[in-house]
Amino acid sequence: VRDVVHSWTVDTLTATATAAIAEGIDFGGDTLTGPVRLVNGTQIFSRHVMVSDRERVSNVAGIRDMYEHQVMKEFKVIARNAEARLWIVGAAVSASATGTELPTAAPTMAGFRGLGISTASSASGGVTTADIVTLSETLFNNGAEPDSVWFAPASKRQFVNATVSSGSGNVRNIAATDQKLVANIDVFETPFNQLYAVITDRFIPIGTSSAVGAYYIGDRSMAKIAFFRPPQHKPMGKSGDHTRGIVLMENTLQLDHPSSWAAMLGVTNG
C-alpha cells in the first residue's frame, strides 16, 4: 500500500443474452460496463511499552529481559486487534486523503461487512445446513468460488450439533480401530460442488443479540491484508530510569470483489 487511502477496481460481466445475431449486420457499439473503484482506509494498531530499567536487569524466572518480553507480547496483541477488526459489525471506512486525522477521529478500516458483501438473515437464529446452502447458492449465482466457511466458536458448536451430534445422514465418523469418536466437521461440500474448509475464528462477534452474530462464507484468495506500515518496533528516547518504545503496524483489508464473500446474519450463541 502506498497511501493511507487504499483503492482498487472491481468489474462485472454484462448479463447473459440469448438473442440471435443476424448475419452480416453493421457494427454497432454495445453498452459496456465500466470498472468501479473500491476504497478502504488504513488503520493504525499500536501499543506503548514502558519497563523500568531496574526491572530489566532483574533476574525474573524464565524472562531474560522484561522489556523485550513485553515488546514480543505486544506484537501478538496488535495482530489480534487487527484480526478482530476484520469481523467488526457495520464497520465503515473513516480516513482522509491527506493522512492527517485529529486524535478524536482516528482513521479506521472497514471490515468484511463494511465492503458491501452479500448478506442473508438466519431463519432460526442458529446455524443450519439449509441456511449455509442458501448462502452458498447466492455466491454460486454471483460467479464466486468460495473455499471456506468461518464460524465463531459458538456457531461452530451449533454447526457440529446440527450435523454430527444429530446423527443426520452419514455424518457420524467413528474411528473404531482407535476407539475414538470424532465429533467434528472439517470439510463441508455443498450441492453446488463447493468444497469448504470449516474454520473457527475466536474473534468473530457472537452474542445473545441477533444483531451481533454472523458467520461467513468466502474465497480466501480474494481477501488480502494490505500493509501501509508493516509490524515494527520504534524505540523511544530516554527520559528517565526506564526503557520505552512503540509497537506499531498500519494496514487495511482489500477485498478484490464483494461478490466473493457473504455473511449469514442474525445468529446467536444459543
Side-chain angles (χ1 to χ4, degrees):
V1 177
R2 295 175 180 263
D3 198 358
V4 295
V5 178
H6 180 49
S7 64
W8 63 99
T9 57
V10 298
D11 211 342
T12 57
L13 298 176
T14 304
T16 56
T18 58
I21 303 298
E23 180 181 352
I25 63 171
D26 288 336
F27 174 82
D30 287 319
T31 301
L32 305 178
T33 59
V36 176
R37 184 183 296 273
L38 293 184
V39 176
N40 204 354
T42 61
Q43 181 169 335
I44 302 167
F45 299 91
S46 71
R47 296 281 293 176
H48 295 189
V49 179
M50 185 171 69
V51 174
S52 72
D53 290 340
R54 183 171 185 264
E55 187 174 15
R56 289 195 71 181
V57 299
S58 299
N59 187 17
V60 181
I63 300 175
R64 179 176 300 177
D65 185 322
M66 182 58 73
Y67 180 78
E68 293 181 357
H69 172 78
Q70 293 293 347
V71 167
M72 179 185 65
K73 189 171 67 173
E74 296 310 314
F75 272 117
K76 296 179 181 179
V77 170
I78 63 172
R80 296 198 323 159
N81 293 345
E83 182 180 349
R85 182 70 192 181
L86 299 175
W87 311 110
I88 195 166
V89 178
V93 61
S94 172
S96 72
T98 63
T100 57
E101 268 86 13
L102 295 174
T104 55
T108 59
M109 74 173 186
F112 282 101
R113 289 169 68 172
L115 290 175
I117 65 175
S118 300
T119 60
S121 295
S122 171
S124 64
V127 179
T128 66
T129 55
D131 281 345
I132 295 174
V133 169
T134 298
L135 200 59
S136 300
E137 182 178 3
T138 298
L139 289 167
F140 180 82
N141 290 334
N142 287 343
E145 297 180 354
D147 62 1
S148 51
V149 54
W150 297 72
F151 290 122
S155 298
K156 176 63 181 293
R157 167 174 50 80
Q158 293 177 355
F159 176 64
V160 171
N161 288 341
T163 53
V164 174
S165 299
S166 67
S168 58
N170 283 322
V171 294
R172 185 176 294 275
N173 180 7
I174 301 175
T177 57
D178 298 331
Q179 297 182 339
K180 180 173 65 174
L181 171 64
V182 181
N184 186 34
I185 299 292
D186 285 328
V187 179
F188 181 78
E189 186 173 0
T190 76
F192 312 103
N193 295 325
Q194 300 152 318
L195 200 62
Y196 295 159
V198 180
I199 301 173
T200 308
D201 191 304
R202 63 175 60 89
F203 300 114
I204 296 177
I206 195 72
T208 56
S209 170
S210 60
V212 175
Y215 60 86
Y216 299 79
I217 300 175
D219 179 353
R220 286 172 288 183
S221 69
M222 300 292 282
K224 301 176 177 66
I225 301 299
F227 284 97
F228 182 59
R229 289 187 285 176
Q232 57 195 270
H233 168 235
K234 293 186 173 185
M236 306 294 290
K238 295 286 289 186
S239 64
D241 188 28
H242 57 260
T243 304
R244 57 184 185 161
I246 299 175
V247 173
L248 176 146
M249 70 179 182
E250 186 171 355
N251 59 266
T252 191
L253 170 64
Q254 176 180 324
L255 189 59
D256 287 345
H257 205 294
S259 65
S260 62
W261 280 73
M264 181 63 68
L265 310 181
V267 179
T268 65
N269 63 354

